[in-house]
Amino acid sequence: FFSHRDIDWLLDKLDKGVTEAVDLPRSLQATLRPYQERGYAWLSMMGSRGLGACLADDMGLGKTVQTLAFFLHQLETNPRDARPALVIAPTSVVGNWEREVSRFAPSLNVVRHYGAGRDGDGLAALARPGTVVVTTYGYLRRDIAHLSKVGWSTVVLDEAQNIKNAASATARAARRLQGSCRFALTGTPVENRLAELWSILDFGNPGLLGPLEKFRQEYAV
């Protein structure tokens, strides 16, 4: 949950329009466009404070590579941190995450957690710097008892509009995950109603927008 110090720091940054410059990781096998560098710096700035963030670039603008750059930055600045990162994505794009890791961040170690061969009991043993576990929303719901026991370095929801309904089983499972920082990637943080934004941002920073019903009354309505 947010502390008063975190809120004051974040409001000051937002008021000034400041995103702290962060050097690109040396092991990144890609050249980022200027807006991608800003997105990467935003994730790094928030993650350095243990805060979550929503990266809301449109589809096809490289949210995956910006996130991989953040993972590499974490690996290079905290090489002794053996906690794995967790990426949750729709089934249709988990293969894309694996391909982009191989292409842009080959120093990361990808572990698949889907299909018949997945090992829920073995997740806690994945103590190796630079490990990224990739799973799907279906397995998030199915294996939350295992996934919620792991202390993840970072939890990332790709296509985070999958948790737009705060009362859904998917959203409830996502909020049970333990991570030092939690990021939501989505090109559509609001599809139909403003309460969807509350669900996504409450995943990243629990309590930031207050209780859902109060948010509905004071902002959505």
Side-chain angles (χ1 to χ4, degrees), residues 11-212:
L11 290 176
D12 180 66
K13 294 294 183 183
L14 295 175
D15 184 55
K16 296 176 180 177
V18 173
T19 300
E20 298 170 352
V22 181
D23 291 337
L24 290 172
R26 296 182 301 275
S27 52
L28 179 66
Q29 303 296 305
T31 300
L32 299 187
R33 298 182 175 91
Y35 73 86
Q36 293 172 329
E37 290 190 10
R38 290 194 297 272
Y40 154 71
W42 169 248
L43 296 180
S44 298
M45 183 178 75
M46 299 296 280
S48 70
R49 303 281 300 202
L51 303 178
C54 178
L55 186 60
D57 286 343
D58 285 336
M59 184 174 64
L61 294 185
K63 294 186 289 295
T64 302
V65 72
Q66 294 174 63
T67 307
L68 294 179
F70 171 79
F71 288 159
L72 291 173
H73 172 72
Q74 292 293 89
L75 178 60
E76 292 181 5
T77 56
N78 302 288
R80 295 184 180 179
D81 187 353
R83 295 175 301 165
L86 176 66
V87 172
I88 302 159
T91 304
S92 59
V93 299
V94 290
N96 182 65
W97 274 92
E98 295 179 21
R99 288 190 296 272
E100 296 218 359
V101 168
S102 178
R103 179 181 178 186
F104 299 125
S107 59
L108 297 177
N109 172 45
V110 175
V111 175
R112 299 176 179 178
H113 183 75
Y114 55 87
R118 71 190 190 283
D119 181 10
D121 293 327
L123 286 171
L126 297 175
R128 173 183 169 186
T131 295
V132 178
V133 177
V134 179
T135 192
T136 70
Y137 284 99
Y139 287 112
L140 167 65
R141 295 188 299 271
R142 193 175 306 174
D143 294 348
I144 187 58
H146 295 292
L147 295 168
S148 62
K149 292 179 181 178
V150 180
W152 306 99
S153 61
T154 308
V155 176
V156 175
L157 300 187
D158 192 12
E159 303 291 346
Q161 65 272 16
N162 279 275
I163 65 163
K164 65 182 181 181
N165 180 356
S168 68
T170 302
R172 293 199 307 270
R175 291 195 294 269
R176 288 178 58 186
L177 296 170
Q178 304 178 58
S180 291
C181 53
R182 304 199 286 191
F183 295 150
L185 316 180
T186 174
T188 52
V190 178
E191 290 185 319
N192 300 303
R193 54 187 62 87
L194 201 58
E196 298 168 358
L197 182 64
W198 181 93
S199 183
I200 292 172
L201 294 185
D202 193 69
F203 161 77
N205 293 299
L208 174 63
L209 299 181
L212 175 56

